[in-house]
Amino acid sequence: MSTIAILGSGRVATALANTLAAAGHEVTLGTRNPAALNWTGAPITIADYESAARSAQIIINATPGDGAIERLGALAAALDDKILIDVSNPHSPSGSEPSLGERLQAALPGTRVVKTLNTMFFTVMTDPHSLRIPPTAFLSGTDDSAKAVVTALLADLGWPAEWIEDLGDITTARGPEALMLLVPSLIRNRGFVPFALTVAA
């Protein structure tokens, strides 16, 4: 069992919180206004961002990508010597400029940042077997031990090891973030339905 803090209160955060709590982890959901959150899901703790970050060794950033540097930078002390899993995306990724994952690692040098789960619809994050074709969860991070911890958490979310593609250090997060440029066209063509990117070999 791990102590996990999930920052955010939207669909991504709540889906991850419910699934990880059901898997036996101790989960705290961090939100800007804990008193305003009407939680009806699995038994978890609700707290503000800083309290949530201080409560856990593993933190998941499920807040909007735009503003994440400022938001998480303010929590640098609480995030020090911890694993930060970033599942968010910038609003306009480029593929050539430093990725959000890279910028988070630069802003939080004492934190081990791992980028994953950002190339799929939120329901696929916690139910990858729901798609007809096996999806791929990409993994980017400079610390191998942190990536091993994240791989184990992905298994608790239903991800077989062979569906996980370790791309390398945190600079490789540029590729998965740039893939999100496809999403508006996919949604226009297919509607708001579960999807993921996959590597076929």
Side-chain angles (χ1 to χ4, degrees):
M1 182 185 74
S2 299
T3 55
I4 302 171
I6 302 172
L7 306 183
S9 55
R11 292 172 297 191
V12 171
T14 54
L16 290 170
N18 276 315
T19 304
L20 290 171
H25 297 286
E26 183 180 327
V27 176
T28 298
L29 193 67
T31 180
R32 285 178 297 180
N33 188 358
L37 184 62
N38 183 24
W39 181 258
T40 58
I44 64 171
T45 301
I46 309 296
D48 59 69
Y49 287 147
E50 184 169 1
S51 298
R54 290 190 181 280
S55 74
Q57 280 302 115
I58 302 170
I59 293 87
I60 300 176
N61 175 39
T63 66
D66 293 338
I69 301 296
E70 180 179 359
R71 192 178 302 114
L72 274 68
L75 302 174
L79 295 172
D80 191 53
D81 199 30
K82 297 182 179 182
I83 295 173
L84 174 65
I85 305 173
D86 181 36
V87 302
S88 69
N89 281 302
H91 183 69
S92 300
S94 69
S96 58
E97 298 295 327
S99 64
L100 175 59
E102 289 174 87
R103 287 183 284 135
L104 283 170
Q105 185 62 86
L108 302 165
T111 303
R112 294 171 287 167
V113 178
V114 179
K115 186 85 179 190
T116 193
L117 296 180
N118 66 304
T119 56
M120 62 198 69
F121 196 73
F122 76 97
T123 59
V124 181
M125 294 179 178
T126 58
D127 189 11
H129 290 272
S130 63
L131 299 181
R132 291 184 301 105
I133 299 170
T136 301
F138 300 102
L139 205 63
S140 298
T142 302
D143 189 289
D144 288 337
S145 62
K147 287 193 287 188
V149 170
V150 175
T151 297
L153 279 185
L154 290 177
D156 287 343
L157 293 172
W159 288 89
E162 60 270 23
W163 293 5
I164 301 170
E165 186 82 14
D166 186 343
L167 299 177
D169 67 23
I170 195 63
T171 64
T172 65
R174 297 184 190 189
E177 287 187 12
L179 285 173
M180 288 298 94
L181 293 171
L182 293 169
V183 171
S185 299
L186 290 174
I187 292 175
R188 184 179 63 245
N189 289 346
R190 296 172 177 264
F192 203 62
V193 297
F195 71 90
L197 278 298
T198 188
V199 175

